[in-house]
Structure formats: structure tokens, C-alpha cells
């Protein structure tokens, strides 16, 4: 008997609806429905809660193959969580451009290092682009950290691409506009992201 069939049988034996079981396990009714229809497995914590609630062992709930699938899914979830955390923190760290003197400003024949808010003497469109890259990347980092548990397909597929795209755009902007310190910081962040993605493959 498969896990989804066992779940249905255990729930019905107790005379519970999906809503009642969801409430008892502190999960959504959608999660119970997904598990009972065979469209997914609970994570390790939910599995322990199910076993405890019904007074059975995890081995009784899952076959060997199902246990292996669950372990793989759990590992994948942890990897995604780590990637979200790293990407989010790196993107949020672009806020450092507002505080660290990483921009070169020409004044009186010399170049002075200043943070972005103090930068002057550059073309308006360049200044706007610096602010856009800094604010946009920082905002993306905040959103990534806030939505770590969001598993919507479009968001899961797109968040890392957006982060890489924002970092790449910033790097290109800083190189073309001859801002080496800001470019080095952005390059370092991009390198860490690339290494994380390569390690995952």
C-alpha cells in the first residue's frame, strides 16, 4: 500500500475530514489533499507529526522507495533554502554602496572615494542608474528572504535568474562607467552566487 492510501485509511479510521486532520497537524487542507492524492510527500517534520498523531512508525507509513524519495526531496528543499538565504543576503548587501566609499568622484583634479549618496559631478542618467541597480538589487534580496518558503513555480524558476541578471547589470554598469571599487564588490557577490549554483549541480 502506498503512502497516500495509508494516509487516507488512517484518517478515515479516525473518522476525520481533511480539514480536521490538517488542523490537528498544523498544516493546510491543501497539503493533506496533495499527500492523499499522491501528488507529493510531507517533509520530515510533518511526517514525524503524522506518525505521532496516528501512533505508527515512519517505517509503517512509507516503503523503502518512498523513504528514499522523501529524503531526496528534503535534501533538495534544504539546498533551495540555503541558496535563497545566500542569494538574498548577497543582494541585500548591495545596500553597502550607500555607506561605503566605493564610488570615485573627481574634484579639483583628484579622485575622491565617496558613498553613493555623496556622489556628485556625474551625469544624471548614470546617477539614476546607480541608484536603480542598488535599490533594485537590495529590494530583490529583501523579497527573496521574505519569500523563502514560497514554492510558486514561476518564483522558484525566476528568482535566481533575476538575482544574477541584477548583479550582471550592476557589474556591467560599474565597469563601463569606470567605478572599479563598486564593480569589484558586485563581481565578488556574483562569483559567490555562481559558485553556489555550480556546487549544487
Amino acid at each position: 500500500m502506498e503512502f497516500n492510501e495509508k494516509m487516507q485509511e488512517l484518517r478515515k479510521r479516525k473518522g476525520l475530514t481533511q480539514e480536521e486532520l490538517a488542523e490537528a497537524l498544523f498544516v493546510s487542507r491543501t497539503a493533506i489533499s496533495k499527500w492523499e492524492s499522491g501528488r507529493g510527500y510531507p517533509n520530515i517534520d510533518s511526517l514525524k507529526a503524522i506518525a505521532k498523531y496516528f501512533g505508527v512508525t515512519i517505517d509503517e507509513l512509507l516503503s523503502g522507495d518512498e523513504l528514499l524519495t522523501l529524503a531526496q526531496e528534503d535534501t533538495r528543499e534544504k539546498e533551495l533554502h540555503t541558496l535563497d538565504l545566500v542569494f538574498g543576503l548577497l543582494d541585500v548587501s548591495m545596500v553597502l554602496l550607500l555607506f561605503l566609499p566605493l564610488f570615485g568622484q573627481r574634484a579639483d583634479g583628484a579622485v575622491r572615494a565617496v558613498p553613493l549618496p555623496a556622489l556628485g559631478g556625474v551625469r544624471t542618467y548614470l546617477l539614476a542608474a546607480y541608484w536603480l541597480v542598488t535599490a533594485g538589487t537590495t529590494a530583490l534580496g529583501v523579497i527573496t528572504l521574505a519569500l523563502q518558503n514560497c514554492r510558486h513555480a514561476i518564483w522558484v524558476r525566476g528568482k535566481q535568474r533575476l538575482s544574477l541578471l541584477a548583479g550582471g547589470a550592476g557589474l556591467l554598469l560599474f565597469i563601463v562607467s569606470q567605478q572599479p571599487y563598486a564593480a569589484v564588490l558586485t563581481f565578488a557577490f556574483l562569483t559567490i552566487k555562481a559558485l553556489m549554483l555550480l556546487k549544487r549541480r
Side-chain angles (χ1 to χ4, degrees):
M1 190 184 291
E2 298 293 317
F3 170 75
N4 61 313
E5 296 169 323
K6 290 175 189 171
M7 271 288 292
Q8 286 180 49
E9 186 181 296
L10 288 167
R11 177 178 61 80
K12 287 173 183 174
R13 202 182 297 166
K14 274 210 168 195
L16 299 170
T17 64
Q18 287 186 343
E19 288 85 355
E20 290 167 337
L21 181 57
E23 197 175 304
L25 297 174
F26 302 102
V27 297
S28 66
R29 193 205 65 77
T30 309
I32 301 292
S33 173
K34 188 171 88 169
W35 300 338
E36 288 192 358
S37 63
R39 289 181 288 118
Y41 293 97
N43 61 29
I44 297 293
D45 291 333
S46 293
L47 194 61
K48 286 177 183 174
I50 293 165
K52 184 177 179 182
Y53 183 78
F54 289 115
V56 296
T57 65
I58 291 175
D59 287 341
E60 289 175 279
L61 286 173
L62 296 170
S63 67
D65 288 342
E66 288 174 324
L67 208 51
L68 186 60
T69 300
L70 181 64
Q72 288 169 341
E73 281 183 16
D74 198 52
T75 301
R76 185 174 166 276
E77 282 291 315
K78 284 178 181 168
E79 285 175 355
L80 281 173
H81 182 74
T82 303
L83 275 177
D84 283 355
L85 192 60
V86 171
F87 274 55
L89 288 173
L90 288 173
D91 286 342
V92 166
S93 296
M94 283 296 281
V95 79
L96 291 172
L97 294 175
L98 301 180
F99 305 103
L100 298 179
L102 296 174
F103 289 89
Q105 178 174 277
R106 287 180 176 80
D108 301 324
V111 177
R112 218 164 41 99
V114 296
L116 182 55
L119 183 62
V122 297
R123 292 191 174 109
T124 308
Y125 72 87
L126 263 183
L127 194 58
Y130 294 155
W131 277 99
L132 182 65
V133 164
T134 303
T137 307
T138 302
L140 179 62
V142 170
I143 292 167
T144 300
L145 291 173
L147 298 179
Q148 281 187 65
N149 295 324
C150 177
R151 291 295 167 242
H152 192 280
I154 294 172
W155 175 245
V156 169
R157 281 196 309 265
K159 62 188 166 188
Q160 291 166 5
R161 290 181 189 146
L162 277 174
S163 178
L164 292 170
L165 187 64
L171 179 61
L172 188 61
L173 172 67
F174 297 139
I175 289 172
V176 169
S177 62
Q178 298 178 347
Q179 294 290 348
Y181 300 132
V184 166
L185 180 74
T186 309
F187 179 73
F189 291 168
L190 264 175
T191 302
I192 294 168
K193 291 175 192 177
L195 289 172
M196 291 288 294
L197 287 175
L198 286 172
K199 184 182 174 188
R200 186 170 174 251
R201 293 188 193 282

